[in-house]
Amino acid sequence: MPKISVYFVPGLAASTRIFEYIQLPESLFDVHYIDWILPEPDDTIASYAERMCAPIPKNVEVVLVGVSFGGIMVQEMASFVKIKKIIIISSVKSNQELPATMRFAKATHFYKLLPTSWLGKINYLARYAKGKSVIAKQIKLYNKYLYMKQTQYLDWSIKNILHWNRTVADSRVIHIHGDNDIVFPIKHIKNCITLHGGTHIMIITKFKWFNEHLPQLILE
């Protein structure tokens, strides 16, 4: 039996290193990782998703796995490749699952005021965040997994999360969500596999669960 091709897409601005602890059986799966690319000035979320599909063969059924914004992206990418499974983690299936804070940011255009350029200075922050404080640990974690620091990418991504026009969930999507996710609170999420104690970064903190259950979810 040929191996199943699985493509992983990370969260907003994150590198594919967030999947470093995820291990699928090599005898069954051919695993690939797709990094973020810089958006073109006229990119829609659909045109960007099509360009993200460049590494994926057009004649093979694949599994797409996306985390957070990557979960939104793989749902858009599904229009341009042959799909075996779509799995999203710590994400949303439609704009109906976005929290009120994000809807407010969209309605008021508040997101345009966000100083996204600060992410480009995360290396400098990491130098001064010493000790074992929660803030120090979080900054070092962000520094480890941050990939796309360009304002061009960050501004485009935030805008397209808030303005995502999908109103009805794709019935093919398998949604895995943590009940302690503060970015996309579970009270807004419907029809998901719930991980008790799971946070927005549970792809890292609960990797053992994913290593145990992802193969079955893909194969069933």
Side-chain angles (χ1 to χ4, degrees), residues 37-49 51 156 159-160:
I37 56 178
L38 277 177
E40 301 291 344
D42 58 346
D43 259 336
T44 62
I45 194 168
S47 64
Y48 184 91
R51 293 199 295 118
W156 181 90
K159 175 184 176 182
N160 278 276

Side-chain angles (χ1 to χ4, degrees), residues 68 88-93 97 174-200 202 209-210:
S68 191
I88 68 172
I89 300 163
S90 306
S91 189
V92 293
K93 297 184 292 297
E97 294 184 336
I174 298 171
H175 189 171
I176 307 170
H177 211 82
D179 59 4
N180 282 340
D181 192 314
I182 63 173
V183 177
F184 299 123
I186 198 165
K187 66 181 180 180
H188 302 295
I189 306 298
K190 299 179 180 179
N191 303 320
C192 71
I193 298 169
T194 303
L195 264 65
H196 178 67
T199 66
H200 197 64
M202 65 184 184
W209 185 95
F210 289 99

Side-chain angles (χ1 to χ4, degrees), residues 67-210:
V67 173
S68 191
F69 183 43
I72 292 176
M73 189 54 60
V74 296
Q75 291 173 75
E76 294 295 315
M77 291 167 65
S79 297
F80 303 101
V81 295
K82 291 185 177 180
I83 291 296
K84 181 177 181 66
K85 287 281 176 69
I86 307 168
I87 300 175
I88 68 172
I89 300 163
S90 306
S91 189
V92 293
K93 297 184 292 297
S94 75
N95 57 21
Q96 304 302 302
E97 294 184 336
L98 293 175
T101 50
M102 292 189 182
R103 298 189 187 197
F104 174 81
K106 173 187 175 182
T108 60
H109 300 284
F110 178 75
Y111 66 94
K112 294 182 179 180
L113 303 177
L114 295 175
T116 51
S117 60
W118 73 270
L119 280 173
K121 300 179 176 62
I122 199 74
N123 284 327
Y124 298 102
L125 290 175
R127 295 179 187 177
Y128 299 104
K130 299 180 180 180
K132 298 181 179 181
S133 70
V134 173
I135 293 177
K137 289 180 179 179
Q138 288 180 342
I139 289 177
K140 289 178 181 178
L141 190 65
Y142 289 138
N143 188 50
K144 178 180 179 179
Y145 293 111
L146 197 63
Y147 173 69
M148 292 290 279
K149 304 175 184 179
Q150 295 90 333
T151 300
Q152 175 185 349
Y153 164 84
L154 295 167
D155 289 344
W156 181 90
S157 298
I158 292 170
K159 175 184 176 182
N160 278 276
I161 292 172
L162 300 181
H163 289 267
W164 193 34
N165 61 8
R166 185 183 296 275
T167 58
V168 179
D170 186 331
S171 60
R172 300 174 295 176
V173 172
I174 298 171
H175 189 171
I176 307 170
H177 211 82
D179 59 4
N180 282 340
D181 192 314
I182 63 173
V183 177
F184 299 123
I186 198 165
K187 66 181 180 180
H188 302 295
I189 306 298
K190 299 179 180 179
N191 303 320
C192 71
I193 298 169
T194 303
L195 264 65
H196 178 67
T199 66
H200 197 64
I201 59 170
M202 65 184 184
I203 192 66
I204 299 168
T205 59
K206 289 190 173 294
F207 68 91
K208 291 181 180 179
W209 185 95
F210 289 99

Side-chain angles (χ1 to χ4, degrees), residues 3-9 22 24-25 28-34 56 60-66 84-85 87 214-215 218:
K3 293 183 181 181
I4 298 173
S5 293
V6 183
Y7 288 80
F8 287 89
V9 179
I22 303 301
L24 302 182
L28 297 175
F29 304 103
D30 192 7
V31 175
H32 307 269
Y33 306 96
I34 299 181
I56 304 176
V60 178
E61 277 194 345
V62 299
V63 176
L64 297 179
V65 182
K84 181 177 181 66
K85 287 281 176 69
I87 300 175
L214 271 182
I218 293 172

